[in-house]
Amino acid sequence: MGFFQGLLLQLFSSLGVLILIGVLLYMLNILILSTAKKGFGFYRLTGLIGTPIHEFGHLIFCYPFGIKVEGVKFYNTDKEAQVLGYVNFSYNKKNIFQQLGLFFVAIGPILVGSLVIILLIRLCLKDAFFEIFQNISRFNTNNITIHAILQSFLDNLKILISNIFTFKNLTDLKWWIFIILGICISMHMNLSPQDLKSGAKGFLLFIAIFSLISLIIFVVSNSAFTSFTLALLSFSSIILALGSISIMILVVDLILVAIISLISSVDN
């Protein structure tokens, strides 16, 4: 595998996928809130679970990068407040390591939210969990192409859909727990404009450092470079599948909200 080909695949796996999912989740959230007559009330309700996970995603990445945490609100009980939670922090603009950390602090909610969804799938949908990881273990290391990546993603998505969206699950309490918690988490996994703004400060720095590390691995061992690329592709395959499920859950949520709003407007 050539260096530039591998590097592009690595950057797509580590950055592109996360940013794409974050933007799509944000756009869906905006549509849901604008469709619902009392959108912020619904957002606040889901935030009882989703907001603490979102803010924890920011918080947990402050400490390893030495970013100073100045204030944390996991859930704002003030009904007049327009912000459900926050993590206030400061950093040294001359410290490259802390600037790099800004990127991880920004995308933390997607990483932590995805991890929680993985745990929910493990607890509530065990068959889907084991099938996904069996599928990843079958990934062909001799065929690392965009087509192979997309095929792996489609396989994982098919596994999740076949295990989640079935009539049989409608009578399963664990399935309802997964759906309800999934909506709460998905509604608050998105990257806000402020997250994107703060994360942009470390974005280019991340690319530069990541490219340098990747180049060193490539020079030392081509097989290690290939393994590194494969590990990131496996990661992106999981995140893509989980992100797609979160997106699908929000699409269903949007449809339900639209129907309820339409009925309400007719009654009035």
Side-chain angles (χ1 to χ4, degrees):
M1 175 184 290
F3 171 71
F4 289 106
Q5 178 192 5
L7 179 62
L8 287 175
L9 288 173
Q10 290 168 12
L11 289 173
F12 169 76
S13 302
S14 57
L15 287 178
V17 169
L18 291 171
I19 293 173
L20 176 64
I21 290 172
V23 171
L24 288 175
L25 288 174
Y26 176 74
M27 291 173 65
L28 278 169
N29 277 330
I30 294 298
L31 284 173
I32 290 171
L33 293 176
S34 62
T35 302
K37 285 191 172 183
K38 297 181 179 180
F40 196 72
F42 176 71
Y43 193 67
R44 178 175 288 280
L45 180 62
T46 59
L48 285 169
I49 294 173
T51 300
I53 294 174
H54 179 103
E55 301 307 337
F56 180 75
H58 289 312
L59 180 66
I60 196 173
F61 284 101
C62 288
Y63 297 113
F65 290 95
I67 295 173
K68 184 180 179 181
V69 177
E70 298 182 336
V72 180
K73 194 75 158 182
F74 287 110
Y75 186 79
N76 198 338
T77 56
D78 183 4
K79 294 183 178 180
E80 300 300 321
Q82 294 299 307
V83 177
L84 292 183
Y86 58 81
V87 175
N88 291 334
F89 57 84
S90 60
Y91 67 99
N92 185 348
K93 295 181 180 180
K94 296 181 180 180
N95 189 315
I96 294 178
F97 189 61
Q98 289 187 15
Q99 288 188 52
L100 176 64
L102 293 177
F103 173 73
F104 290 94
V105 172
I107 66 172
I110 293 180
L111 297 175
V112 172
S114 296
L115 177 60
V116 174
I117 289 178
I118 288 176
L119 292 175
L120 283 174
I121 292 174
R122 174 64 179 83
L123 293 171
C124 301
L125 303 165
K126 292 182 180 180
D127 291 341
F129 179 85
F130 289 114
E131 280 190 55
I132 287 174
F133 283 92
Q134 286 175 1
N135 182 60
I136 291 171
S137 67
R138 293 194 295 267
F139 197 92
N140 186 0
T141 58
N142 297 316
N143 184 34
I144 304 177
T145 62
I146 294 294
H147 179 268
I149 300 168
L150 292 175
Q151 187 59 54
S152 178
F153 155 64
L154 291 173
D155 289 343
N156 287 335
L157 185 59
K158 188 185 301 181
I159 291 169
L160 282 168
I161 291 175
S162 64
N163 281 273
I164 294 175
F165 299 102
T166 64
F167 288 107
K168 180 182 177 181
N169 283 336
L170 293 175
T171 58
D172 188 342
L173 178 60
K174 288 184 177 180
W175 181 82
W176 282 105
I177 292 174
F178 172 78
I179 291 297
I180 293 171
L181 294 180
I183 289 175
C184 292
I185 295 168
S186 298
M187 282 288 294
H188 299 269
M189 264 178 64
N190 60 293
L191 301 181
S192 67
Q194 182 59 39
D195 292 337
L196 293 173
K197 182 179 179 180
S198 63
K201 297 177 181 178
F203 179 74
L204 294 178
L205 185 60
F206 174 84
I207 292 178
I209 295 175
F210 186 93
S211 299
L212 178 59
I213 294 173
S214 188
L215 178 60
I216 293 172
I217 295 174
F218 178 77
V219 171
V220 172
S221 171
N222 188 272
S223 61
F225 180 77
T226 301
S227 298
F228 179 54
T229 304
L230 177 63
L232 288 175
L233 291 176
S234 296
F235 167 78
S236 77
S237 180
I238 297 173
I239 295 298
L240 270 172
L242 292 172
S244 297
I245 289 299
S246 296
I247 289 168
M248 289 174 64
I249 289 173
L250 289 189
V251 169
V252 172
D253 189 22
L254 175 60
I255 293 171
L256 291 175
V257 167
I259 292 173
I260 293 171
S261 296
L262 181 62
I263 293 173
S264 299
S265 63
V266 171
D267 290 339
N268 295 331

